[in-house]
Amino acid sequence: MSDAFRCDPAKTALVLIEYQNDFTSEGGVLNGAVAAVMEKTGMLANTVELVREARAAGVTVMHAPITFAPGYGELSRTPYGILKGVVDGSAFVKGTWGAAIVDDLAPAEGDIVIEGKRGLDTFASTNLDFILRGKGIDTIILGGFLTNCCVESTMRTGYENGYRVVTLPDCVAATSQEEHDNALAYDYPMFSIP
């Protein structure tokens, strides 16, 4: 194993971004959009195995779900782009099955659930950075949804904030194979260790 991939478990966090039923599960509002890439990468099964190994090694496991109150009052009156799709599909409404973390990755004792994620970058509207620094974590490992959206946004901010960022190409998925492959080929190597 290359030194670039050696991590001190006590200083490492695995950040699981939006492993929620609306993405991961049949019947989820956005599952149809990501199902093909999920299947090709095997990302859900890969992540379940990784989480098991990370917990056993003493890595901090963090869950970063995105949730909104009914009516999406946290967003602008005229959302656009990816968040318009969330609103139009009524996805990730707090307290619903769709917003729940998928059973296969349910938080275990000792895991941390990051609260307040309302946008693309996990750092932006949460206390993620505060928790990481308080725990002395210098390496973050990222997986989740979407390859080229929330995972990439979090990756870039982690990089800018001085964390060593590791991304997991087989634990992410996007709405198309082309978008997924493009992010992995061109963006991830610039701001992380894929």
Side-chain angles (χ1 to χ4, degrees):
M1 181 181 284
S2 149
D3 284 341
F5 291 99
R6 291 192 187 279
C7 299
D8 176 354
K11 295 182 176 183
T12 302
L14 173 59
V15 182
L16 305 172
I17 300 170
E18 297 176 12
Y19 283 87
Q20 295 162 266
N21 288 319
D22 272 336
F23 273 138
T24 60
S25 304
E26 189 174 332
V29 171
L30 301 171
N31 178 253
V34 297
V37 179
M38 283 181 66
E39 184 176 337
K40 185 169 183 179
T41 63
M43 63 94 68
L44 191 54
N46 292 338
T47 304
V48 168
E49 177 64 19
L50 177 65
V51 168
R52 186 186 63 73
E53 292 183 20
R55 286 179 180 138
V59 170
T60 298
V61 175
M62 305 176 97
H63 304 267
I66 188 169
T67 59
F68 301 96
Y72 299 92
E74 304 93 338
L75 299 177
S76 83
R77 291 184 193 137
T78 55
Y80 60 95
I82 190 76
L83 291 175
K84 181 171 180 11
V86 167
V87 172
D88 289 349
S90 298
F92 307 118
V93 175
K94 186 178 268 193
T96 66
W97 171 85
I101 295 170
V102 65
D103 288 345
D104 290 344
L105 291 169
E109 186 175 340
D111 289 1
I112 297 169
V113 178
I114 300 298
E115 297 178 5
K117 186 173 188 306
R118 302 289 187 266
L120 312 182
D121 177 358
T122 306
F123 285 95
S125 60
T126 72
N127 59 353
L128 176 62
D129 190 62
F130 176 82
I131 293 170
L132 294 172
R133 293 191 191 284
K135 294 181 74 55
I137 290 171
D138 60 18
T139 299
I140 56 173
I141 302 171
L142 305 178
F145 297 92
L146 296 165
T147 309
N148 58 329
C149 188
C150 295
V151 177
E152 184 170 327
S153 296
T154 303
M155 169 191 71
R156 288 171 180 251
T157 299
Y159 182 86
E160 291 280 359
N161 286 351
Y163 292 99
R164 183 168 67 149
V165 181
V166 177
T167 47
L168 305 168
D170 61 350
C171 293
V172 294
T175 56
S176 75
Q177 195 64 50
E178 294 77 16
E179 291 170 305
H180 176 80
D181 292 343
N182 184 73
L184 296 181
Y186 298 106
D187 299 337
Y188 279 37
M190 291 179 65
F191 307 105
S192 72
I193 303 165

